[in-house]
Each structure stands twice: as C-alpha cells, then as structure tokens.
C-alpha cells in the first residue's frame, strides 16, 4: 500500500511538472544562421536560467519575405479571433516593423526591459520612416563602410565629397556593384544621394514627397560622371574578391562580411575600413513581442537576455562579426582586447553613433533605385 501510494505521488509530481513546463516559440526571419543562433546558442542559455522552459526556434525565410510571413501569420490569427498567437518572440526586418506597429500586432515593451536604455541609435525608434518607439529592440546592426588597402591608398577619403575627388585622381581604383547583385552597392548609392541630394533627414524620416526625386538631377548626373572612373563589380562578394586580388584599392562592403573574409584568409590582413561622413547606411534586425503572446513575461525576459551586454558581446560580435544591437560602448570590458580591437579599431562606437545611418524610407528608397536605373545606369 505504501509503495503504491509512493508511486502515485511520483506520478502526480511528474504530471504536475509536465503540466507546468513552458514552451517559448521564437520565429525568426533571415538566413539559417539566425535559426541556428537561437537554437544552438541563445536558447540553451535561456533554458539554463529558466528550468522547465523549452525554447523552440522556427525560421520563416531570408529577406523581407521572411518577415512578411511572420506578419501574415499574426494578421491571420488576429482576424480569426485567436486567443493566443503561435509566436512569443519574433525577429523581423525593418520593413515589417512599421506595419506590425500600425496594425497593433506587437507589444510596446522596450521601456520595461532592463536593457532598453542601452540603445540610443535612431534605428530603435525610426524604422524606415515608421515610428516604432518602444515596440522593437535591435538584435544587431549590420553596417556598410569603405574597405581599402592602405598600401594603395595613402590619403583615405573621410567623406563622400573627398571620395569623389579621390576617384578623379585615381581612376579605376574604386569599385562597387551599382544597385544589382548586392546591397553594399545599393547602400553606397543611397548614401551618395543622402550626402548630395538635399534634405538627408527628410529622406531618412519623411514625410514623403514624390516631387523630391525631380531635384536629384545634378546629384545623379554627378554620380554618372563618378561612375566613369570606377569599376562596377559583380556583387557584395565580387567587391571583396577584387579587393583581395588588388584589382581595386577601395570599395563599399558589409562590415561583417569583411571581417569574416579576413578571418578566413580571403583578404590581406592589412585591409582597413572607413565610415565616411555624412554617413553610410546599415540596418538592424529587431526583436519584437506579438500582442497576443501567452508568454509576455517570459518573452520579455528572453529579449532582455538576448540584448544583455554579455550575450551581445559573445553571441553577436564574436560569433558573427555583427555590430551589437545595443550601443557599442556598453560592451567595453565584455570583449577581450583582441575582439574589441578587431571590430572597433577602424570604426569606433563614436563613429557608429555619428555616421551609422538608416536606409531612406521605403518610397524614397524606391525612387533612388528607379532614378539610378534611368539616369545613371543607362
């Protein structure tokens, strides 16, 4: 009798523990490395600090299409009157964030996070012209910059204006991929228009005025003239490859790709980076919490862990060569000197704060690409 009661007690305890077990569902847009990061690194850390919790990561696909799938799922569940969303935490691109805020599909939660005050960049509040203040927390920032070979470039341009002059004096030593084959070239072009095309703040924050593109004629004519002295590369990797072979001395690159190529020995170890004024664009990925999550407290704790200085240093910077989602100065003392020097020797946290810019808002972004095709590429 005593034995059967004891077994019954263990069974009841096991049932109680199973019933109390929680699953935190994280949906992430982006490449497979985003899923692997949550599944293999971030999830196990969270589970260790939250016994009984299981983090389940699902990928929805690369690019804006992956974020669109997350939006469509949340929108469909809202329209169907579902009590709870299938996702507790989502990782999305900038383009989707504004729509999710506008349609009230995500929570305003950032101010409740202990890490919320660790990010001051405008990407935490402005997402391609949409006000997302409080609704998103940057996971990381990707950034474009000019890569150059110091053996070939003795006087490094500090601005777009100086670069324009440098190219005239050093024809065919600068290369970028135009607007096809990779976003590093697109970033360079949007940065050019922001630098020379008038009201930079308006391009980045709105409001949109369709007549603005008509004022870019001289800016685009100057860019077409600039292109006569540059090499158009095959794409993001193509620019890096031509830098590696010494076929060009300078070109715009994604910083994380640049450092990965250096680490793999595919770029000369002396290659350097420069973030020119008035700035070059980058873009974040965001953590957000669906409004109908059944795990709001748990979801907030997950994002707080993911955006803590320790995790940002080890997971974001050291594993992927991304810039942190929180302000970089918060990582001082969290990275060993070699890792800090590698990521911030050429582009300091102060440089990032001053010259790390967002892409223009969607309508202006489309106008820039359309005008480039008509007036520069032809």
């Amino acid at each position: 009798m005593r034995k059967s009661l004891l077994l019954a007690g263990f069974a009841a305890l096991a049932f109680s523990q199973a019933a109390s077990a929680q699953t935190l569902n994280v949906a992430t847009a982006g490449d497979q490395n985003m899923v692997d990061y949550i599944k293999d690194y971030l999830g196990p850390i969270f589970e260790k600090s939250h016994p009984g919790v299981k983090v389940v990561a699902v990928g929805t696909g690369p690019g804006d299409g992956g974020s669109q799938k997350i939006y469509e799922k949340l929108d469909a569940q809202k329209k169907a009157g579902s009590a709870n969303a299938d996702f507790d935490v989502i990782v999305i691109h900038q383009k989707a964030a504004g729509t999710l805020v506008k349609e009230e599909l995500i929570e305003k939660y950032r101010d409740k996070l202990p890490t919320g005050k660790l990010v001051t960049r405008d990407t935490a509040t402005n997402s391609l012209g949409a006000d997302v203040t409080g609704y998103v927390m940057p996971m990381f920032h990707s950034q474009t910059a000019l890569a150059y070979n110091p053996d070939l470039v003795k006087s490094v341009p500090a601005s777009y204006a100086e670069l324009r002059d440098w190219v005239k004096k050093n024809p065919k030593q600068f290369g970028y991929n135009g607007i096809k084959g990779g976003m590093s070239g697109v970033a360079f072009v949007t940065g050019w228009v922001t630098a020379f095309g008038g009201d930079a703040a308006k391009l980045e924050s709105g409001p949109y005025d369709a007549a603005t593109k008509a004022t870019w004629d001289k800016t685009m004519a100057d860019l077409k003239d600039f292109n006569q002295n540059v090499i158009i590369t095959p794409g993001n990797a193509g620019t890096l490859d031509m830098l590696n072979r010494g076929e060009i001395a300078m070109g715009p690159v994604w910083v994380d790709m640049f450092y990965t190529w250096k680490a793999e020995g595919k770029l000369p170890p002396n290659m350097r980076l420069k973030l020119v004024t008035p700035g070059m664009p980058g873009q974040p990925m965001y953590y957000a919490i669906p409004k109908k999550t059944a795990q709001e407290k748990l979801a907030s704790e997950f994002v707080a862990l993911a955006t803590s200085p320790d995790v940002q240093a080890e997971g974001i910077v050291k594993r992927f060569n991304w810039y942190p989602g929180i302000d970089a100065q918060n990582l001082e003392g969290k990275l060993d000197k070699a890792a800090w020097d590698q990521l911030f020797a050429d582009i300091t946290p102060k440089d990032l704060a001053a010259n790390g810019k967002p892409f223009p808002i969607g309508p202006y972004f489309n106008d820039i690409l359309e005008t480039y095709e008509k007036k520069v590429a032809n």
Side-chain angles (χ1 to χ4, degrees), residues 8 16 23 80 141 162 178 212 217 271:
S16 173
T23 298
H141 286 93
E162 289 182 14
T212 299
D217 286 353
M271 294 289 286

Side-chain angles (χ1 to χ4, degrees), residues 275-337:
L275 184 54
V276 295
T277 61
M280 294 181 68
Q283 55 186 344
M285 290 291 283
Y286 291 133
Y287 288 113
I289 298 176
K291 188 172 280 289
K292 286 196 170 186
T293 174
Q295 311 275 10
E296 183 178 353
K297 182 176 182 295
L298 207 60
S300 294
E301 291 172 356
F302 180 85
V303 178
L305 172 71
T307 53
S308 64
D310 286 327
V311 169
Q312 289 272 297
E314 177 63 33
I316 296 300
V317 175
K318 293 187 74 172
R319 285 174 173 254
F320 288 102
N321 296 312
W322 287 322
Y323 285 115
I326 61 176
D327 294 346
Q329 60 265 28
N330 295 302
L331 273 61
E332 288 196 66
K334 303 296 182 181
L335 290 169
D336 58 76
K337 188 176 185 303

Side-chain angles (χ1 to χ4, degrees), residues 100-136:
L100 288 164
V101 170
K102 182 180 179 181
E103 300 194 14
E104 299 183 346
L105 293 171
I106 54 177
E107 287 283 353
K108 192 170 187 178
Y109 77 104
R110 184 186 136 206
D111 292 343
K112 303 173 188 175
L113 296 180
T115 56
K117 292 182 173 62
L118 300 182
V119 57
T120 60
R121 281 184 64 168
D122 57 2
T123 48
T125 57
N126 172 27
S127 183
L128 302 181
D131 184 359
V132 294
T133 305
Y135 290 91
V136 298

Side-chain angles (χ1 to χ4, degrees), residues 172-242:
K172 305 303 181 181
Q173 289 298 296
F174 180 89
Y176 78 106
N177 62 279
I179 61 171
K180 294 183 177 178
M183 284 294 290
S184 61
V186 174
F188 177 76
V189 170
T190 59
W192 178 283
V193 176
T194 300
F196 299 120
D199 190 345
K202 184 177 179 181
L203 296 182
E204 294 171 5
S205 303
Y208 175 67
D209 180 357
T212 299
K213 64 181 178 182
T215 67
W216 296 337
D217 286 353
K218 184 179 187 309
T219 299
M220 290 299 185
D222 288 347
L223 183 53
K224 185 167 186 174
D225 182 60
F226 175 88
N227 277 4
Q228 304 309 305
N229 291 313
V230 310
I231 292 176
I232 301 299
T233 69
N236 292 337
T239 301
L240 287 163
D241 196 41
M242 294 185 77

Side-chain angles (χ1 to χ4, degrees), residues 238-261:
T239 301
L240 287 163
D241 196 41
M242 294 185 77
L243 284 164
N244 178 50
R245 295 197 301 265
E247 295 173 3
I248 56 175
M250 189 188 312
V253 300
W254 287 105
V255 170
D256 59 302
M257 285 185 70
F258 173 84
Y259 282 122
T260 298
W261 277 52

